[in-house]
Amino acid sequence: MAERHPALIEQVREAFPYGPEQHRALDALLREILHGVVEPLGPGSPDRELWLGREPGHFGRPWFDAPFLWAESYFYRRLLEAVGYFGEGPWQGVDPFASFKRAELSGPTVDEELRSLDDLVGVPSAERATALLGASLWGNRADLGFRGPAGESTPGDADPSLVADDSAALWALLPAGSPATVAVIADNTGRELIPDLVLIDHLLRHGHAERVVLHVKPCPYYVSDAMTADVVDCLRRMSGAPGEAGAIGRRIWEAMGAGRLDVRTHAFFCAPYPYERMPADLRAELGNATLTILKGDLNYRRLVGDRQWPATTPFAGPTAYFPGAVAALRTLKSDVVVGLDQKTLDRLEGSGRAWRTSGTHALIQVRP
């Protein structure tokens, strides 16, 4: 909070030709975080009373005293207020992170990753499924909020051995030819969302799902989190590519038009709460899915609870409340983790690496 938030404020300031009003608001937010106390949203904010009613005890106290998950979420909400995202005016609805997202999406790394899809043409379905699930999982390393909009790739080399691997259980829930509905709760756009979309295409094309519902954020959040506009940008990028990537992009576009892939959003996806507190309408929707796949570190923290669990706590315990079968695909970028066996934990703890927070380790966990 003391380093990343000030840097992000400056990068957002430089990304757009904001006027004096936005610059003053960004300066005020920066001073408040570093030297002041948490202030409520302005009187004209549509959700002011909602935030005041959520955790009123955090207001009037230093930012560093608030739980990190709450403070992070509220920071992004305040940043949107500072740049005029919700207010009437020329900056209404303008994503302050759009330039960062587009720069990543148009970069040469994406070209290489799209070309690599040609290598999977003719590969047996089971082998292809394993590769695409892995790509979706490790795509979570491409997180602008984690490395900073101007940063390089996540430091360190990825450990190919997963700290937990329930991939067999995931595929067992989605046998080919089943009339399954799969919910995918997305995390980042760009280099993470593209492999997510490729995996969705595989689920639909090979009969693992009859229908997929892709849940995205309703507004800009955590720099690179995916919104509907980002889904469209990724599909256009894919559809305009040659070879297999272009074919997949066009199939997904057609699937959306036919209703086999539905993109939805909900205000709760930007809330600073665990999924245990999800509202009744979202609970009912996810409860009707054959399987809900949650992508990324933040969704994992919200799924199991942002707490200092013993790492060997069974995954089924903290997720017992979830209304249906659930799977987590996550690269580790925070201390929270459950579901590890003691032997794996001992190996990781003895490695001398920051395995919980470096983004170099990953897991696939399933609770049927």
Side-chain angles (χ1 to χ4, degrees):
M1 191 177 297
E3 298 176 4
R4 187 167 66 185
H5 287 181
L8 181 58
I9 288 172
E10 291 308 307
Q11 289 164 334
V12 166
R13 184 199 306 274
E14 295 171 1
F16 287 93
Y18 291 123
E21 180 181 354
Q22 284 75 33
H23 285 289
R24 285 192 296 269
L26 290 170
D27 289 338
L29 178 59
L30 181 59
R31 287 193 302 270
E32 178 186 320
I33 291 173
L34 296 179
H35 308 295
V37 297
V38 180
E39 300 287 353
L41 294 167
S45 301
D47 54 347
R48 183 174 189 267
E49 296 304 319
L50 180 64
W51 277 97
L52 283 172
R54 280 175 170 172
E55 302 288 347
H58 301 324
F59 294 100
R61 301 176 62 187
W63 278 78
F64 298 94
D65 287 353
F68 189 64
L69 179 58
W70 187 93
E72 278 277 88
S73 296
Y74 190 58
F75 165 74
Y76 284 101
R77 177 60 186 87
R78 288 288 303 283
L79 185 63
L80 294 182
E81 181 186 46
V83 299
Y85 182 86
F86 290 110
E88 292 186 6
W91 296 106
Q92 185 177 41
V94 177
D95 183 353
F97 312 128
S99 59
F100 309 142
K101 296 175 182 179
R102 290 169 184 160
E104 182 191 54
L105 196 58
S106 62
T109 303
V110 173
D111 288 330
E112 296 173 10
E113 291 170 347
L114 292 177
R115 281 195 295 268
S116 70
L117 291 170
D118 292 340
D119 297 335
L120 293 177
V121 176
V123 171
S125 177
E127 184 178 338
R128 181 185 177 99
T130 299
L132 296 182
L133 184 64
S136 178
L137 170 65
W138 286 108
N140 184 234
R141 294 184 83 198
D143 178 350
L144 295 174
F146 181 58
R147 70 177 191 267
E152 299 300 327
S153 59
T154 304
D157 295 325
D159 186 340
S161 61
L162 304 185
V163 301
D165 184 5
D166 294 341
S167 54
L170 185 152
W171 292 115
L173 291 168
L174 303 174
S178 66
T181 294
V182 177
V184 178
I185 301 180
D187 190 19
N188 302 302
T189 186
R191 291 177 56 208
E192 179 171 3
L193 185 58
I194 285 177
D196 291 346
L197 292 169
V198 174
L199 177 62
I200 288 170
D201 171 71
H202 181 87
L203 295 178
L204 293 172
R205 191 181 184 202
H206 293 270
H208 296 286
E210 189 172 71
R211 180 170 170 268
V212 175
V213 180
L214 177 62
H215 296 273
V216 296
K217 301 295 190 299
C219 61
Y221 194 59
Y222 278 67
V223 184
S224 57
D225 280 31
M227 302 188 300
T228 303
D230 301 315
V231 176
V232 175
D233 285 345
C234 287
L235 283 179
R236 285 178 174 154
R237 180 77 161 89
M238 295 171 67
S239 299
E244 182 69 358
I248 293 172
R250 290 186 290 273
R251 283 199 300 266
I252 297 171
W253 194 286
E254 292 172 1
M256 290 180 67
R260 299 185 66 213
L261 172 58
D262 189 9
V263 178
R264 296 186 186 177
T265 190
H266 196 289
F268 185 76
F269 293 129
C270 292
Y273 296 127
Y275 279 102
E276 192 170 9
R277 295 175 63 178
M278 75 178 84
D281 59 339
L282 183 59
R283 177 179 292 274
E285 181 170 351
L286 298 180
N288 288 328
T290 308
L291 174 67
T292 298
I293 299 173
L294 288 92
K295 288 296 309 293
D297 193 79
L298 177 58
N299 276 325
Y300 187 87
R301 288 159 58 195
R302 296 183 69 190
L303 174 66
V304 304
D306 204 29
R307 306 184 181 107
Q308 292 181 324
W309 295 103
T312 55
T313 303
F315 180 69
T319 60
Y321 69 88
F322 204 83
V326 62
L329 272 62
R330 172 226 188 181
T331 57
L332 279 63
K333 305 172 191 174
S334 66
D335 289 312
V336 181
V337 67
V338 298
L340 305 190
D341 62 60
Q342 190 64 54
K343 182 178 179 181
T344 298
L345 179 61
D346 291 343
R347 174 178 63 83
L348 293 168
E349 293 287 81
S351 68
R353 304 177 68 184
W355 61 273
R356 290 175 181 256
T357 58
S358 61
T360 57
H361 294 70
L363 59 77
I364 299 172
Q365 291 177 321
V366 174
R367 196 224 69 203

